[in-house]
Amino acid sequence: MKFKVCLIVLSAVLLYCCSIGLRPLFSPDEIRYGEVAREMLASGDWITPRINGLLYFEKPAPGYWPIALSLKFFGETPFAVRFPSALAALLTGGLIFLWGLRSGRRELGAAASWIYLTMGLVFGVGTFAVLDSTFTFFVLLGILAFYFADTEERSWVRPLYLILAGVGIGGGFLVKGMLSPVLIGLTVFGYLLWQKHFLRLFLFPWLPLAVAAGIVWPWASAIHRAQPEFWTTFLWVEHVQRAVSGRGANDDRSGPFWFYFPVLIGGMMPWGLMIPLVVGPIRRRIKEFVREPAIRLAAVSSCVWFCAFSCVSAKLGTYVLPCFGGLAILLAWGLLAYREEYDWHWFDRIWKGFASLLIGCVICFFVLHTCARFGLIKKSGFLLYRPHESILFPILLLLVMAAWYWAASLAEKPSAKFRSVLLGTALAMFGAHGALPCVIWQAYAPEPFLKATAAPLIDGRTRVYAEKSMIAAACWTFKRTGFGIYERPGELLYGMERAGVTPLIQAQIPELTGKGTPLLILTGSKRITRSIPQPKLVFNGTRQFVIFCPAAGEPLPRSGGKR
């Protein structure tokens, strides 16, 4: 049994950690989070987050601490930037296993944890350098600690769980702010109300809130002393204003009410295909379903988060990630109930049909790509992979995935069916990073392009200016700060205003190009490349451009061309 558990844990770790260092950091999110953490290490200031040396108050500084520690331990690499997110996803899977185990059903916890870890959105966010996986871990820790305290019969153990709940609330606050106590509180309130534990509604919150305050207070007081305006900006702009209007300091994330419906269904794939199957067993066993405290908590946590974020104006697909833990429990319970009915006809048809769809997609992709490569069709959009790239690996990956899904429809034992689906999904996820075409790397990963084009042009005399979409990439690539910001400052406007720095506007560029030092501009806009007067050297990337203007009287470098 111990060997089997170790093998399962090792498989999960390899799934999430083995391939996260294969590709460069994507812009804007991954490079931005990595750069904030890098500047913490470089400056030694772990209290105030900064980009390009300017104040950056979108998130609390402790949210970047795991990335900074990872950079210190593993070096300044893509793996180090993504590792905290992957680790948080794996720990969340462990919490979901304990959730099912607490209900007295080990198989519920095992199935739910693997379903969670192989959901598309969970894997995508868990292998991407954002803070949502870390936030989800703390939120689920807080919710489950309350649940464990409620179901604990030993009175002396109950306060220990409540202390752990405070750790979850405080940790979530240090990652994303007030979302943690508000939404954990709403979930626990709904769950205790359903359990009819009315007295605990008044007794349970105090100890966790005191522990959370003790965790938050050291950094909160330190940032208040260092930057007194932080709390006004962070709480009002990033919480109230964003929730009401969808707009933060310099962006607009507003969306329609139905925004999260397709996100939820698509994010659960491929397990979302099982939703029609589990509806019947749940409906027929509804009394047993709603009687279990674990199921009640799963239903309340999923509904609270989904409804809360559907009602507020600000919407991003990753916001509803905390829903997926409860959804995994519900789906696993439904599949276990479906297993007991021994009617696998529709299960087999769904996975056989999905496997056939994958095989059809592979054939269409191969035909279109081959025709585009040999010029039989003129639309270059079908040529997703460049001539120097092999399409055999992504095709093989999809075929292996389809083969395991087909095997699931042919297997006789329910456990073999589940393992086949799980293995096919895990293998596809394991190879997903290596199957990405170079065109995606070149479009969203600016670091290799900047190293190849801009780095040789920078010396002690060169003045470097970057557009808002490129400033974090420039700082991360060249491991320095103090770059000029060209045209719109975007999310750095607050920091520039506080530093007394005036952003460089487009009309000033012609005045700078004729001076006695070279000028280098990093941008993501073709319009900007056309606005720069001659003489100039332009390096064209997929979505990035490097413009070099020599000093007056100096010739252009001989190098040039497209990426």
Side-chain angles (χ1 to χ4, degrees):
M1 179 60 70
K2 289 183 178 180
F3 173 77
K4 185 177 180 180
V5 171
C6 291
L7 183 62
I8 291 173
V9 172
L10 179 62
S11 301
V13 171
L14 290 176
L15 175 64
Y16 270 77
C17 297
C18 191
S19 60
I20 57 176
L22 292 179
R23 57 176 175 83
L25 296 179
F26 280 4
S27 179
D29 292 323
E30 289 194 305
I31 280 188
R32 180 173 62 242
Y33 289 120
E35 176 56 24
V36 173
R38 189 198 69 82
E39 292 191 29
M40 281 185 176
L41 285 177
S43 66
D45 183 0
W46 293 64
I47 303 301
T48 307
R50 287 183 172 87
I51 292 181
N52 196 34
L54 302 171
L55 299 178
Y56 183 68
F57 288 166
E58 188 181 46
K59 300 285 191 302
Y64 304 100
W65 291 352
I67 303 176
L69 293 173
S70 182
L71 292 176
K72 188 174 182 62
F73 187 78
F74 296 110
E76 295 175 1
T77 64
F79 175 87
V81 177
R82 298 188 183 107
F83 178 72
S85 186
L87 179 62
L90 292 170
L91 292 176
T92 305
L95 289 178
I96 292 172
F97 173 75
L98 296 177
W99 190 347
L101 191 64
R102 186 71 171 185
S103 68
R105 301 174 64 183
R106 177 185 292 269
E107 57 183 354
L108 175 63
S113 60
W114 271 111
I115 287 174
Y116 175 82
L117 290 174
T118 51
M119 285 180 174
L121 184 66
V122 174
F123 179 79
V125 177
T127 54
F128 198 79
V130 289
L131 303 183
D132 296 273
S133 282
T134 307
F135 179 66
T136 298
F137 166 73
F138 281 115
V139 165
L140 197 60
L141 176 65
I143 291 173
L144 288 184
F146 274 111
Y147 163 65
F148 275 50
D150 181 64
T151 54
E152 179 59 54
E153 296 180 355
R154 294 167 295 179
S155 59
W156 65 273
V157 177
R158 200 171 296 142
L160 300 179
Y161 286 128
L162 294 178
I163 291 173
L164 197 59
V167 174
I169 295 172
F173 184 93
L174 291 176
V175 174
K176 278 201 170 185
M178 288 300 297
L179 286 176
S180 174
V182 170
L183 292 175
I184 290 178
L186 289 175
T187 301
V188 173
F189 178 82
Y191 165 74
L192 291 177
L193 204 61
W194 197 350
Q195 289 286 91
K196 297 181 180 179
H197 294 167
F198 303 116
L199 183 60
R200 291 179 178 177
L201 287 171
F202 301 97
L203 296 179
F204 271 12
W206 305 111
L207 181 57
L209 288 176
V211 172
I215 292 173
V216 172
W217 179 254
W219 173 79
S221 59
I223 189 65
H224 180 70
R225 289 193 300 269
Q227 304 292 338
E229 296 182 351
F230 171 83
W231 290 111
T232 301
T233 302
F234 179 64
L235 294 179
W236 176 255
V237 176
E238 296 298 332
H239 285 75
V240 178
Q241 181 177 311
R242 192 180 290 281
V244 173
S245 65
R247 295 177 176 85
N250 298 285
D251 60 356
D252 186 357
R253 299 178 184 175
S254 58
F257 177 81
W258 49 265
F259 178 87
Y260 288 117
F261 285 95
V263 170
L264 216 61
I265 300 299
M268 292 175 66
M269 295 299 288
W271 300 104
L273 296 172
M274 297 290 93
I275 294 177
L277 293 185
V278 303
V279 171
I282 289 176
R283 188 184 69 250
R284 287 188 288 273
R285 303 171 64 174
I286 190 65
K287 292 183 178 180
E288 178 186 351
F289 181 76
V290 299
R291 193 164 52 241
E292 290 191 35
I295 300 302
R296 290 182 176 184
L297 180 66
V300 171
S301 64
S302 300
C303 291
V304 164
W305 282 84
F306 182 79
C307 293
F309 280 108
S310 294
C311 291
V312 300
S313 296
K315 291 180 173 62
L316 280 180
T318 57
Y319 284 173
V320 290
L321 186 64
C323 287
F324 284 73
L327 291 173
I329 289 287
L330 297 176
L331 193 57
W333 194 97
L335 286 175
L336 292 175
Y338 182 83
R339 179 191 64 178
E340 297 174 5
E341 297 184 358
Y342 296 100
D343 180 15
W344 293 94
H345 174 68
W346 284 106
F347 180 95
D348 296 340
R349 293 190 64 176
I350 287 175
W351 289 108
K352 188 177 292 185
F354 191 50
S356 302
L357 179 63
L358 287 175
I359 294 173
C361 290
V362 168
I363 294 173
C364 291
F365 167 72
F366 178 78
V367 171
L368 291 173
H369 192 276
T370 303
C371 292
R373 176 165 292 185
F374 289 99
L376 300 179
I377 55 177
K378 295 182 179 180
K379 292 186 177 181
S380 60
F382 292 116
L383 197 61
L384 187 60
Y385 291 83
R386 302 291 174 82
H388 66 278
E389 296 180 87
S390 173
I391 63 172
L392 294 181
F393 180 69
I395 286 178
L396 180 63
L397 203 63
L398 289 175
L399 289 178
V400 169
M401 186 179 181
W404 279 106
Y405 289 165
W406 196 284
S409 67
L410 300 178
E412 295 183 0
K413 295 182 178 181
S415 57
K417 291 178 181 292
F418 180 81
R419 283 196 298 267
S420 296
V421 173
L422 183 62
L423 189 58
T425 305
L427 287 173
M429 289 178 170
F430 184 79
H433 294 288
L436 288 176
C438 286
V439 66
I440 295 181
W441 291 27
Q442 293 171 351
Y444 296 99
E447 183 181 2
F449 174 67
L450 294 181
K451 283 183 176 179
T453 58
L457 299 172
I458 297 179
D459 56 26
R461 300 185 307 145
T462 306
R463 294 160 298 147
V464 183
Y465 291 90
E467 192 197 4
K468 64 175 183 178
S469 61
M470 297 288 288
I471 191 68
C475 295
W476 172 264
T477 301
F478 305 121
K479 309 306 181 203
R480 48 170 280 201
T481 59
F483 293 105
I485 299 178
Y486 171 67
E487 210 171 53
R488 296 178 297 274
E491 59 196 6
L492 295 179
L493 176 62
Y494 178 87
M496 296 181 71
E497 290 176 344
R498 296 305 177 274
V501 180
T502 303
L504 185 66
I505 61 173
Q506 182 177 353
Q508 292 175 306
I509 286 290
E511 301 173 8
L512 293 172
T513 54
K515 294 188 177 181
T517 55
L519 176 67
L520 188 69
I521 300 174
L522 314 177
T523 179
S525 170
K526 286 185 178 181
R527 175 186 59 79
I528 291 178
T529 64
R530 293 191 294 266
S531 70
I532 309 301
Q534 298 290 350
K536 62 183 177 182
L537 177 65
V538 179
F539 295 90
N540 296 315
T542 306
R543 297 181 64 179
Q544 306 93 28
F545 304 90
V546 172
I547 309 164
F548 180 75
C549 302
E554 294 184 1
L556 285 169
R558 293 182 179 273
S559 60
K562 293 186 178 182
R563 184 182 178 183

